[in-house]
Amino acid sequence: LDLLWRKGKWQYAQGLCRHIVESPIFEAVLSVVIFANAITIGIEADMSIQNDEEEMTWSLIVEVLFLVIYIVELIIRLVANKWRCFRDPWFIFDFVLVTVSLLGQIIGAVASFPAVIQQVLILRALRLLRVIRALRMIKQMRAVWRLVSGLLTSCNTMMSTLALLSLVLYIFAVLGIEMIAKDDSLQ
């Protein structure tokens, strides 16, 4: 990084951001943030069902906090990898979600017309897609990833086993009905 500093501040910033992005600690911290965001969305959804509007003021603050964290993450990734970021589907997904959330926050802060506020509520409903970001954590936990991978690769075998068991159960059900229906002592 010292060599990059001598080349120029932009190269230093790129090198530093690349160093941060490639760090496993960065991914671990983001995984914790995503998990915390998923939990707060669940708590907020539960509180909105109970119609606790007075206690929902914290959710706006937390929403803005997570939005700032996600914007900083996007900026760091963009500085580190430049336009190559847009080849990564997870980055595009994150970029779209953060952009929609940011637009929702801006429109919600500026709008005063009921029709516009209704449109903002639709944008806010899209933020529930952020829970999908929690799927990124699966890559971080190798044991869980192996389990998911094993389940996905064994789907064909499980379906064949299900079909075989269903066939065996069907055959014995038909045999049982035939035997019970024809046996006078069992009727």
Side-chain angles (χ1 to χ4, degrees):
L1 292 177
D2 187 45
L3 178 65
L4 289 173
W5 178 257
R6 283 187 241 145
K7 287 186 175 183
K9 293 178 183 173
W10 177 250
Q11 287 84 8
Y12 179 77
Q14 271 188 310
L16 181 64
C17 288
R18 193 172 300 119
H19 182 72
I20 290 170
V21 166
E22 292 171 355
S23 170
I25 295 172
F26 181 71
E27 285 297 325
V29 167
L30 280 177
S31 295
V32 169
V33 168
I34 291 168
F35 186 67
N37 191 8
I39 289 172
T40 56
I41 288 173
I43 292 169
E44 182 181 342
D46 183 50
M47 291 179 79
S48 69
I49 290 172
Q50 298 171 2
N51 293 326
D52 278 340
E53 294 297 326
E54 296 171 2
E55 295 182 22
M56 294 296 288
T57 55
W58 66 269
S59 69
L60 293 173
I61 297 168
V62 171
E63 185 177 340
V64 169
L65 177 69
F66 281 120
L67 184 60
V68 167
I69 292 170
Y70 293 144
I71 289 171
V72 169
E73 173 204 0
L74 289 178
I75 290 171
I76 290 173
R77 288 187 189 279
L78 273 171
V79 170
N81 298 320
K82 298 184 217 171
W83 296 109
R84 288 178 301 210
C85 289
F86 290 100
R87 294 182 193 151
D88 181 18
W90 281 115
F91 180 83
I92 294 169
F93 180 72
D94 290 345
F95 184 80
V96 168
L97 287 179
V98 169
T99 304
V100 167
S101 295
L102 184 61
L103 286 174
Q105 287 292 327
I106 291 171
I107 293 171
V110 174
S112 61
F113 301 109
V116 175
I117 292 174
Q118 186 66 28
Q119 297 297 323
V120 170
L121 291 177
I122 293 171
L123 285 176
R124 288 193 67 196
L126 289 176
R127 74 187 183 89
L128 292 176
L129 291 174
R130 285 188 286 182
V131 176
I132 295 173
R133 287 177 59 116
L135 292 176
R136 282 178 47 180
M137 291 188 324
I138 292 176
K139 289 193 310 188
Q140 304 303 319
M141 298 179 276
R142 295 198 189 279
V144 174
W145 180 247
R146 274 187 257 141
L147 179 65
V148 170
S149 176
L151 285 173
L152 291 176
T153 56
S154 67
C155 277
N156 191 22
T157 305
M158 289 190 308
M159 288 303 180
S160 299
T161 304
L162 176 67
L164 181 63
L165 285 173
S166 298
L167 181 63
V168 168
L169 284 173
Y170 177 76
I171 290 170
F172 280 104
V174 170
L175 281 173
I177 289 173
E178 285 294 320
M179 292 175 75
I180 292 171
K182 292 187 179 185
D183 192 359
D184 292 332
S185 65
L186 295 176
Q187 291 184 3

